[in-house]
Amino acid sequence: MTTEWLAEQLVPAQYRDVTPGAPIQLAASRCSTCDRCSFPAADSCTWCGATGSRPEPLSDGTAVAATAVLHRTPRAVVEVPFVVALVRFGQAGLDVLGRVLGADDADAMNPGTPLRVVAESLPDGRMHYAFAAPP
Amino acid sequence: MSVIIAGVGLHPFGRFPLTVEEIARVAAVQALGDAGVTYSDIDLTVVANVGEGMAKAQRIAAGLGATGHPVISVESACASSAAAMLAGRDAIESGRARVVLCLGAEKAPRGFIAGAGFEPWQEASGVGVTPIYFALQARELLTATGGTVADLAAVSVKNHGHGALNPDAMYRSPVTAGQVLNSKVVCPPLTLLMLCTPNEGAAAVVLMSPGEAGRRGVAQPVALRAVALATRSPGDWFVPAPSRLSQVRSSPTQTAATAAYQEAGLGPGDLDLVECQDTDAASELIAYADLELCAPGDEVKLLRSGDTRIGGRIPVNTSGGLLSKGEPLGASGLGQVHELVMQLRGLAGPRQVSGARVGLAHVMGAGHVSAVIILAAA
């Protein structure tokens, strides 16, 4: 049975049939013209508008800053509270926003904390990407 | 050619048992009266609004009369009002209009601002909510400046103190740092009293060419010296982008401010007061550097100096800012213009900045849109 993802375009196909918590990659793209990366991957560059790019996988990064969502928000299927971090992927030169699994104190997440991309099973049964500390 | 602000009007910001058309009419009628014109004198009406539907401009302005002149709407999130001023200014400078009504009106729903351009996956996964962005910006600001949450609280204390002097503000009571820090945590480090409240209100401005203002004998004209609006560059990061470039840093506010100072032929040292986008306490501090009121890194130092209070060197958000007025998205920028005009006319009452001659208004909104307006006593 194919796993249903919240947004398939965010994760390469080879990582969409995994168990929750498994490390995965995010599907970013690197522009062939300006060499800058975009996430989500884009047919035309987010920054310069040129077409033509190659995949730039994102897997291991470090926290830049973190906060938490403590109150239920419109159209969210996830339970509160949860921690959110902006995570830096150095090789791609990109910072990506996402939920952090297994963290309960945003104040304690210092810049530079290692985080990797993992698969998460949402309460509605769909899969999505999240961040988690490596084992 | 400078464009003249001939009249301003305002419906207080808050929550009211009135329709958006009724709120808009109050502000528009005030502005028309202040300018000494009637709606039949208007050549163009530009309506700024975010939340209403199709034909909103025509509907919002309908209560003013059916004169046949063009009525258009502009929407640029929290910068909608500035977009209206840009369109109105350009219509006059091009010679297509002599008298323009810019009218901002909003009845924003309670709670988090929805529909800020997020993709469905962002909202479903819980990261499609604006305070996350403000909180992360706040974290980075505090790290870069050595500031603390007490500094964020101090911004709120300052602006609520100013708002207590403004009868048109939603919240008109001073608050203490303890009250700010102990209010409900929304997204750490931001607490409820460090964030503005989306609400309802309207503001209106009548623009004229200098010749028209002279012919009509406008009593207290104010010169619109600059309107500059900028949208995202590669180094920006703001709602609703799920990612950003790591190393490049810029801000549409910097871009708009640079353009506005150049257009006005003025610099930050010429300013007597500033109204800026204090969606949250950290956003005001970020604006200090982006508007060149201080060097990057000195934002907290400027706040702690007391210079941004009424009575200080460069008072910021003398109206109380969005933190105490609330934010009716389509009207907030014209509300800032209303405050500056009152200050430049010397009519701001207990919050008057002594000898004010030049003021700057700044808004910033979803989609990385920022605008800067500079006014001067004519």
Side-chain angles (χ1 to χ4, degrees):
Chain A
M1 190 178 93
T2 306
T3 306
E4 184 183 357
W5 281 74
L6 178 59
E8 281 194 350
Q9 73 275 18
L10 305 181
V11 176
Q14 65 267 34
Y15 292 102
R16 291 191 211 133
D17 188 19
V18 296
T19 56
I24 60 171
Q25 293 184 347
L26 292 177
S29 58
R30 185 180 290 276
C31 176
S32 303
T33 301
C34 74
D35 203 41
R36 290 180 286 210
C37 291
S38 298
F39 174 80
D43 292 334
S44 60
C45 176
T46 310
W47 312 113
C48 75
T51 55
S53 65
R54 59 184 184 277
E56 179 75 28
L58 310 177
S59 55
D60 295 290
T62 55
V64 177
T67 184
V69 175
L70 308 178
H71 311 284
R72 190 161 177 79
T73 58
R75 294 181 279 281
V77 301
V78 295
E79 301 296 327
V80 293
F82 56 86
V83 171
V84 175
L86 194 56
V87 176
R88 179 154 299 170
F89 297 92
Q91 192 167 341
L94 270 183
D95 299 345
V96 177
L97 192 63
R99 282 156 40 82
V100 183
L101 306 183
D104 56 12
D105 185 1
D107 292 336
M109 183 162 291
N110 295 319
T113 301
L115 291 169
R116 66 178 181 175
V117 185
V118 298
E120 178 195 13
S121 177
L122 299 173
D124 66 1
R126 289 180 291 177
M127 299 287 281
H128 191 55
Y129 81 86
F131 302 124
Chain B
M1 177 179 78
S2 281
V3 166
I4 296 298
I5 294 179
V8 292
L10 187 84
H11 184 287
F13 293 1
R15 290 286 175 195
F16 309 96
L18 298 170
T19 65
V20 68
E21 293 88 347
E22 290 168 327
I23 289 171
R25 191 171 189 284
V26 170
V29 168
Q30 260 186 34
L32 294 170
D34 188 36
V37 298
T38 67
Y39 196 54
S40 60
D41 294 315
I42 299 296
D43 299 318
L44 169 68
T45 296
V46 187
V47 175
N49 171 271
V50 174
E52 302 296 321
M54 185 183 289
K56 53 181 149 186
Q58 292 73 21
R59 184 159 49 84
I60 288 171
L64 297 171
T67 68
H69 75 252
V71 176
I72 62 170
S73 68
V74 294
E75 192 275 301
S76 292
C78 302
S80 295
S81 275
M85 291 287 284
L86 187 73
R89 190 274 312 268
D90 288 353
I92 290 175
E93 288 196 336
S94 71
R96 291 184 60 84
R98 292 169 302 163
V99 188
V100 173
L101 174 65
C102 297
L103 173 59
E106 198 76 48
K107 278 183 78 75
R110 294 175 191 274
F112 290 127
I113 295 171
F118 293 111
E119 295 289 334
W121 68 264
Q122 291 175 282
E123 294 183 322
S125 65
V127 299
V129 55
T130 52
I132 289 174
Y133 289 73
F134 307 142
L136 291 171
Q137 287 189 149
R139 290 268 198 220
E140 292 196 283
L141 174 84
L142 296 183
T143 300
T145 61
T148 68
V149 288
D151 294 306
L152 300 180
V155 173
S156 183
V157 169
K158 173 181 73 71
N159 290 357
H160 279 92
H162 292 172
L165 305 174
N166 182 357
D168 295 318
M170 183 175 188
Y171 301 111
R172 297 190 291 274
S173 300
V175 297
T176 66
Q179 286 174 305
V180 177
L181 293 168
N182 291 320
S183 63
K184 184 168 71 173
V185 177
V186 176
C187 287
L190 299 178
T191 65
L192 190 63
L193 288 176
M194 295 176 191
L195 286 154
C196 80
T197 305
N199 65 357
E200 305 167 10
V205 171
V206 174
L207 302 177
M208 286 183 191
S209 64
E212 187 71 12
R215 188 177 70 77
R216 291 177 178 273
V218 170
Q220 291 183 289
V222 168
L224 175 57
R225 296 287 296 267
V227 186
L229 191 147
T231 308
R232 64 190 287 267
S233 299
D236 306 338
W237 186 63
F238 200 64
V239 176
S243 67
R244 69 178 189 186
L245 294 175
S246 300
Q247 300 304 331
V248 187
R249 279 292 158 271
S250 64
S251 153
T253 295
Q254 293 170 342
T255 306
T258 300
Y261 287 132
Q262 184 173 3
E263 181 182 326
L266 297 168
D270 296 310
L271 302 177
D272 296 307
L273 75 156
V274 168
E275 289 282 301
C276 78
Q277 179 85 24
D278 57 333
T279 305
D280 64 285
S283 289
E284 174 168 319
L285 297 175
I286 291 166
Y288 288 177
D290 286 349
L291 296 172
E292 302 177 37
L293 307 183
C294 68
D298 286 347
E299 298 90 339
V300 168
K301 184 177 167 188
L302 176 59
L303 174 77
R304 290 176 181 173
S305 73
D307 280 348
T308 58
R309 292 192 207 113
I310 292 174
R313 179 177 57 82
I314 178 68
V316 176
N317 285 324
T318 57
S319 67
L322 305 182
L323 287 173
S324 62
K325 288 189 301 186
E327 188 184 17
L329 283 71
S332 61
L334 287 169
Q336 294 176 330
V337 171
H338 181 276
E339 173 69 9
L340 294 184
V341 169
M342 291 294 107
Q343 291 280 358
L344 298 179
R345 287 176 173 176
L347 300 175
R351 59 184 194 286
Q352 179 66 46
V353 174
S354 179
R357 298 286 300 168
V358 180
L360 179 150
H362 157 253
V363 287
M364 183 166 177
H368 314 226
V369 185
S370 187
V372 171
I373 293 172
I374 297 176
L375 308 184

